[in-house]
Amino acid sequence: MEVTQLLLNAQSIDGSVRKQAEDSLKQFQEQNLPAFLFSLSGELANEDKPADSRKLAGLILKNALDAKEQHRKFELVQRWLMLDATVKSQIKSCLLKTLSSPVPDARSTAAQVVAKVAGIELPQKQWPELIGSLLSNVHQLPPHVKQATLETLGYLCEEVSPDAVDQDNVNKILTVVVQGMSSSEGNNDVRLAAIRALYNALGFAQANFSNDMERDYIMRVVCEAALSKEEKIRLAAFECLVSIASMYYEKLTPYMNDIFTITAKAVREDVESVALQAIEFWSSICDEEIDILEEYAGEFTGDSDVQCSYFVKQALNVLVPILLETLLKQEEDQDQDEGAWNIAMAGGTCLGLVARTVGDDIVPLVMPFIEENITKPDWRQREAATYAFGSILEGPSPDKLTPIVNVALNFMLSALTKDPNTHVKDTTAWTLGRIFEFLHGSTMDAPIITPANCQQIVTVLLQSMTDVPNVAGKACGALYFLAQGYEDVGPSSPLTPYFQEIVQALLTVTHREDAGEGRLRTAAYETLNEVVRCSTEETATLVLQLVPVIMLELHNTLEGQKLSSDEREKQGELHGLLCGCLQVIIQKLGASDQTKYGFMQFADQIMGLFLRVFACKSATVHEEAMLAIGSLAYACGPEFAKYMPEFYKYLEMGLQNFEEYQVCSVTVGVVGDICRALENKVLPYCDGIMTQLLKDLSSNQLHRSVKPPIFSCLGDIALAIGQDFEKYLMYAMPMLQSAAELSAHTAGADDEMIEYTNSLRNGILEAYSGILQGFKNSTKTQLLIPYAPHILQFLDSIYVEKDMDDLVMRTAIGVLGDLADTLGSNAGTMIQNSVSSRDFLNECLSSEDGSIKESAEWTKLAITRAISA
């Protein structure tokens, strides 16, 4: 069957026809990949073929070059690079030819595929003529060719990293893109494609934004486009401005007056999609200024990278009134719609960012609006005033806000029960939550919650939990922060008298018919967990009484009815919530010996329930149940050994779960908990666990974030089984060494990579530390002597790099001490001969971080003992 018919059949409404076509395409691909890809590119380029088959041909081609999973993507890239050069060049010429097709879908699909090929080949220094041929296309007459070419350049900039294109080509790309954007371009499709291309090319424009003339030209064209008559063009131009705000903040000063005028006009007069982007521009400016001010804590020295230009502060008097106006543009039912996003919500979010940027200065600008609108008959005015108040509670100082909150609190509590409009009640409950989050807690000088109003607050919140789901959910949220503020109050909490009543009310919420709406059930359990977590010893017996209640809830969800996949997903969520709740209770009761004793009577039954949850196999559940079992192991200590024969298979399944790497990561953490609980009783399971961990480490399919905890886990195992770790040394040490070499150097890495490298170093160091401490005082310490030079060399090299974070510094100086402590004089001389070890130790001894200093003092003692030995 020819490929056109297969592609059409693959889109048939008839399931069996579709399945047969998909299977044939798959078979063709497996039997002869070069011919398959070539026939798809031929289909896409052939003007006589139907638009539907051409589009699908292009999509299959695109998916043959790229995938979401890293390891799959790597395979596809290698596969393309190994194809015969002639075939590749035929495919590429078909793709370039399609860019001038009169059929829009075919052009657009070809543009995406060209960019995918470029993403593979340009970094390999292949297809050098591509950019030149695209640039020459732009000067062709039919506008649709120009449009498709600009679209391709945009996708290309999205796929390729800036270092794969030389500056000369970057300049040429930007020149044609900015020309295509200018108001002299008569064709709107061309202009739109050019603006979207600029959006993707901004990351390439570092050098151009550093040149005044070029930057002026780019900014002028973007601002002109933001005033175009075409909505799509205005929208795309504002998206560019938002991106420029975060990428080139420090270059914006000369343009801010114009940008303010343009954004203000858009917020007030333009269609919602454009107005939202105009607000987003100011939100981005706030984000930048908050970051700069936090990083330098307001102290600007000559050497700080980016100066704060205080754009928000300068625009404050005109910006705040514009944002307050937006708050009155609510949608009727936005409080019921979880994903709602509109101009009122964007304005409130931006107002909140402005408050965090300028602090106290915002309060006098917002208070008159609140006072004027809070009692108006129109619900929109009352809601906007409440939203404005809630938005400015983070940023200004408690001194500035506390007197206002003291006046407002009674009004809010009354509105939450009496306002006729649910929208107003929803925002009121949210605002109360923000008051408790930011202005209530042991660190505050003047408490806003006193013995006089505490009971009223609890009563109102519990009453609101019986309101419609969205209001009830926000009331749960307010109670969450109310409880959290009493976390460190000492032996007695003001919430103690209401504990029973609060817990009962929250459990009642979880049983509401409509608890599935708007995350209400989840909010109730999260709040219950927080109330338990922050409770004091006075209520320990009540927490213990909660154990059988939650166990029964979990038991009831496990009783055997046949479920549809939708119901099974809901059941999985409920299992997760209940396991999470039990975990918090176990941690609370397991923390002291008196309460632990009462709890242990339930341990067997709880473990039985967790094992039944595992048997329902759904990944999310595994995670919560696994975490809860980690806490149970910690509480049970060596007694946990009796559960291992049954639990071990699930532990192994978790360690093998590459796909859902969070599950794998959590399981690795639980292995650590079990090692600490069982100590050498974990030995019978270590062969299986070590085999799986080493397999995980050598896999390129496992997400990289799981590797650091696996290394730490090797340390936990070594600490637990001591010298019995001997048989694993020959496997574990070479892995640690090669990872150490990889993570020693970070030259040219970005912040994200440096952060990851530090977590990797920390995992490796924790492994070394566990192994060294595990062998201490055993007869086999000499087995570690051959590895000592490498460990020292690793410490040296990361010290020299000078990009350790505090955590790595503390772990590293501890490992230096472990070397001396475990190996004695064998390590003493090596350490003495290492210059950087001495420098590193002295640096840590004079650290301002107490825990680093403490570790360093212990290390100094250990080294002194080792040398004198």
Side-chain angles (χ1 to χ4, degrees):
M1 194 186 259
E2 65 155 352
V3 82
T4 308
Q5 199 50 53
L6 283 178
L7 290 164
L8 293 172
N9 287 357
Q11 303 173 65
S12 161
I13 17 179
D14 180 334
S16 61
V17 174
R18 196 167 62 239
K19 172 99 175 64
Q20 204 175 352
E22 284 166 359
D23 291 345
S24 305
L25 286 167
K26 196 170 172 190
Q27 196 182 353
F28 184 4
Q29 179 169 357
E30 283 161 7
Q31 283 168 357
N32 188 344
L33 182 71
F36 177 69
L37 297 177
F38 179 58
S39 71
L40 291 174
S41 66
E43 184 78 17
L44 179 61
N46 188 337
E47 295 302 334
D48 299 332
K49 298 291 183 182
D52 284 348
S53 69
R54 293 175 72 182
K55 187 176 180 181
L56 184 59
L59 287 176
I60 296 174
L61 202 48
K62 186 175 95 171
N63 294 336
L65 300 168
D66 194 14
K68 277 198 174 68
E69 296 83 14
Q70 280 310 109
H71 64 97
R72 178 78 184 125
K73 181 176 182 147
F74 179 77
E75 285 167 17
L76 295 174
V77 167
Q78 294 310 312
R79 192 175 77 170
W80 171 264
L81 289 170
M82 289 165 73
L83 279 181
D84 174 65
T86 327
V87 175
K88 281 192 290 198
S89 102
Q90 288 171 319
I91 292 173
K92 292 188 294 197
S93 72
C94 284
L95 292 171
L96 290 174
K97 177 184 156 201
T98 312
L99 293 178
S100 50
S101 164
V103 179
D105 267 351
R107 289 199 302 273
S108 187
T109 312
Q112 293 171 51
V113 185
V114 169
K116 291 288 179 201
V117 176
I120 297 173
E121 296 202 352
L122 294 184
Q124 307 281 340
K125 303 278 178 267
Q126 298 177 13
W127 210 1
E129 69 282 7
L130 168 66
I131 292 176
S133 69
L134 288 173
L135 293 169
S136 64
N137 250 1
V138 172
H139 303 298
Q140 294 203 5
L141 267 181
H144 70 258
V145 180
K146 205 169 177 177
Q147 176 264 332
T149 307
L150 287 164
E151 190 178 349
T152 309
L153 287 168
Y155 288 136
L156 184 141
C157 292
E158 197 176 11
E159 288 295 331
V160 178
S161 78
D163 48 17
V165 182
D166 62 56
Q167 189 57 43
D168 183 43
N169 273 329
V170 170
N171 295 342
K172 288 176 175 164
I173 291 173
L174 283 169
T175 304
V176 301
V177 165
V178 177
Q179 281 171 352
M181 284 172 64
S182 91
S183 47
S184 59
E185 169 56 60
N187 184 297
N188 281 331
D189 292 340
V190 170
R191 209 173 161 198
L192 183 60
I195 298 172
R196 287 181 177 161
L198 178 69
Y199 178 83
N200 287 328
L202 285 169
F204 289 72
Q206 242 75 33
N208 312 82
F209 263 81
S210 300
N211 173 314
D212 293 355
M213 273 181 55
E214 295 183 33
R215 185 179 64 245
D216 286 347
Y217 182 47
I218 295 173
M219 292 302 294
R220 196 190 79 224
V221 174
V222 174
C223 290
E224 273 177 9
L227 296 167
S228 158
K229 287 192 168 54
E230 278 293 311
E231 180 188 324
K232 280 183 179 167
I233 291 177
R234 292 198 305 278
L235 179 62
F238 274 108
E239 284 170 352
C240 280
L241 282 175
V242 172
S243 189
I244 290 169
S246 54
M247 267 189 224
Y248 299 109
Y249 168 86
E250 70 284 4
K251 306 278 189 214
L252 284 175
T253 304
Y255 317 107
M256 283 307 281
N257 280 338
D258 290 344
I259 293 177
F260 181 81
T261 311
I262 295 170
T263 48
K265 180 178 160 60
V267 174
R268 287 191 159 133
E269 301 168 16
D270 214 327
V271 294
E272 185 171 73
S273 60
V274 178
L276 285 173
Q277 286 303 318
I279 295 172
E280 186 61 31
F281 172 82
W282 285 100
S283 294
S284 289
I285 294 286
C286 290
D287 284 334
E288 292 305 308
E289 297 196 347
I290 289 167
D291 282 351
I292 296 168
L293 294 169
E294 274 176 6
E295 198 166 322
Y296 302 111
E299 295 163 27
F300 292 109
T301 46
D303 56 0
S304 56
D305 310 349
V306 179
Q307 293 283 345
C308 185
S309 303
Y310 297 103
F311 294 136
V312 178
K313 202 170 187 163
Q314 289 166 25
L316 203 56
N317 292 335
V318 271
L319 179 60
V320 170
I322 294 174
L323 293 173
L324 291 171
E325 280 172 33
T326 64
L327 303 186
L328 293 158
K329 299 181 178 175
Q330 309 94 323
E331 283 170 8
E332 281 294 336
D333 49 0
Q334 72 180 41
D335 55 330
Q336 262 97 37
D337 174 10
E338 234 186 295
W341 184 248
N342 55 46
I343 193 161
M345 297 171 87
T349 304
C350 187
L351 191 66
L353 289 167
V354 171
R356 285 176 54 200
T357 312
V358 302
D360 289 358
D361 294 351
I362 196 168
V363 177
L365 294 172
V366 175
M367 285 315 294
F369 177 84
I370 296 171
E371 286 158 0
E372 187 192 335
N373 290 291
I374 196 83
T375 53
K376 284 285 199 303
D378 180 355
W379 73 265
R380 288 178 187 279
Q381 288 170 288
R382 297 196 305 280
E383 194 275 337
T386 314
Y387 189 19
F389 188 44
S391 297
I392 62 166
L393 292 168
E394 184 188 8
S397 63
D399 292 349
K400 187 82 174 169
L401 292 172
T402 304
I404 302 171
V405 168
N406 282 330
V407 175
L409 195 56
N410 262 336
F411 183 88
M412 294 271 161
L413 292 168
S414 154
L416 184 53
T417 46
K418 303 197 174 110
D419 199 288
N421 182 279
T422 60
H423 206 125
V424 176
K425 286 196 276 192
D426 178 295
T427 306
T428 305
W430 172 78
T431 299
L432 284 167
R434 303 256 302 172
I435 290 174
F436 302 151
E437 181 179 1
F438 298 114
L439 297 169
H440 155 62
S442 52
T443 54
M444 295 294 156
D445 297 336
I448 51 166
I449 300 171
T450 59
N453 63 13
C454 187
Q455 182 175 6
Q456 184 200 2
I457 290 172
V458 172
T459 308
V460 166
L461 291 179
L462 297 191
Q463 187 185 332
S464 292
M465 285 186 210
T466 60
D467 209 321
V468 293
N470 53 304
V471 175
K474 301 279 193 324
C476 289
L479 186 58
Y480 176 99
F481 289 114
L482 182 66
Q484 195 178 73
Y486 289 125
E487 188 178 353
D488 309 309
V489 286
S492 175
S493 161
L495 290 185
T496 296
Y498 317 110
F499 185 85
Q500 188 79 23
E501 200 186 338
I502 289 172
V503 168
Q504 198 43 62
L506 286 163
L507 289 171
T508 306
V509 171
T510 66
H511 291 142
R512 281 176 53 157
E513 288 286 317
D514 54 5
E517 290 175 33
R519 286 188 71 252
L520 177 56
R521 183 178 287 113
T522 306
Y525 276 115
E526 282 172 356
T527 303
L528 178 61
N529 295 354
E530 198 63 7
V531 168
V532 168
R533 196 180 68 77
C534 299
S535 63
T536 57
E537 281 167 20
E538 303 169 300
T539 45
T541 48
L542 298 174
V543 174
L544 189 59
Q545 288 167 18
L546 193 54
V547 177
V549 176
I550 302 292
M551 280 169 55
L552 183 62
E553 296 273 325
L554 186 52
H555 173 83
N556 290 341
T557 65
L558 288 160
E559 286 309 285
Q561 65 284 38
K562 279 269 174 277
L563 300 176
S564 69
S565 65
D566 199 27
E567 287 170 324
R568 179 161 288 121
E569 192 181 325
K570 283 205 178 77
Q571 180 199 39
E573 278 171 31
L574 192 52
H575 285 171
L577 293 169
L578 291 163
C579 290
C581 187
L582 283 169
Q583 185 199 354
V584 173
I585 295 172
I586 293 166
Q587 282 174 335
K588 191 75 194 172
L589 297 172
S592 79
D593 288 341
Q594 303 101 303
T595 54
K596 190 193 293 190
Y597 178 74
F599 164 74
M600 290 319 286
Q601 59 181 325
F602 296 114
D604 289 1
Q605 289 168 280
I606 288 185
M607 190 63 191
L609 285 170
F610 289 154
L611 291 170
R612 286 180 62 194
V613 169
F614 279 127
C616 293
K617 179 71 188 104
S618 125
T620 48
V621 164
H622 269 52
E623 208 171 321
E624 320 296 337
M626 198 51 97
L627 282 165
I629 285 175
S631 302
L632 188 63
Y634 179 78
C636 292
E639 293 289 298
F640 189 82
K642 62 181 175 182
Y643 305 126
M644 284 301 287
E646 254 200 283
F647 171 54
Y648 178 72
K649 65 175 177 196
Y650 295 114
L651 195 68
E652 202 164 46
M653 276 161 60
L655 293 176
Q656 289 165 350
N657 196 340
F658 286 180
E659 279 66 54
E660 291 133 354
Y661 64 89
Q662 293 92 337
V663 176
C664 185
S665 188
V666 162
T667 310
V668 170
V670 170
V671 171
D673 294 333
I674 289 171
C675 289
R676 285 184 283 279
L678 297 188
E679 295 181 329
N680 61 357
K681 283 188 176 174
V682 77
L683 196 57
Y685 304 97
C686 284
D687 282 3
I689 291 173
M690 282 297 296
T691 305
Q692 197 48 56
L693 290 177
L694 294 169
K695 216 183 251 174
D696 286 357
L697 282 174
S698 51
S699 153
N700 65 346
Q701 292 186 12
L702 184 62
H703 195 276
R704 68 177 194 182
S705 66
V706 189
K707 299 204 171 174
I710 293 178
F711 283 122
S712 318
C713 189
L714 298 180
D716 295 328
I717 293 171
L719 257 181
I721 64 174
Q723 63 183 44
D724 288 313
F725 196 79
E726 175 190 353
K727 59 175 172 180
Y728 307 126
L729 283 174
M730 57 185 288
Y731 307 107
M733 286 313 228
M735 279 225 168
L736 282 163
Q737 287 186 7
S738 59
E741 280 159 22
L742 279 175
S743 76
H745 307 296
T746 53
D750 58 9
D751 291 353
E752 195 183 326
M753 193 59 199
I754 290 175
E755 195 178 314
Y756 173 71
T757 304
N758 270 322
S759 72
L760 194 58
R761 290 167 174 172
N762 197 56
I764 294 164
L765 290 163
E766 285 182 340
Y768 282 143
S769 177
I771 292 168
L772 287 163
Q773 289 176 38
F775 276 81
K776 192 191 166 179
N777 299 335
S778 77
T779 51
K780 297 183 173 169
T781 46
Q782 77 286 357
L783 291 171
L784 299 180
I785 296 171
Y787 303 112
H790 183 274
I791 297 176
L792 258 180
Q793 188 197 335
F794 178 49
L795 292 172
D796 281 354
S797 57
I798 59 177
Y799 173 65
V800 173
E801 284 285 303
K802 294 279 182 243
D803 56 6
M804 278 185 277
D805 57 27
D806 288 350
L807 187 61
V808 173
M809 204 167 205
R810 188 173 75 222
T811 320
I813 201 63
V815 168
L816 189 62
D818 292 328
L819 268 173
D821 195 38
T822 299
L823 299 180
S825 58
N826 293 306
T829 32
M830 279 188 236
I831 294 172
Q832 248 184 318
N833 297 335
S834 150
V835 181
S836 62
S837 291
R838 237 190 343 263
D839 294 346
F840 182 33
L841 181 59
N842 289 331
E843 196 174 305
C844 292
L845 284 167
S846 57
S847 167
E848 288 175 4
D849 181 310
S851 59
I852 292 178
K853 197 171 179 171
E854 201 178 315
S855 292
E857 279 160 1
W858 175 81
T859 294
K860 187 181 176 181
L861 271 174
I863 294 174
T864 313
R865 279 200 305 268
I867 292 169
S868 55

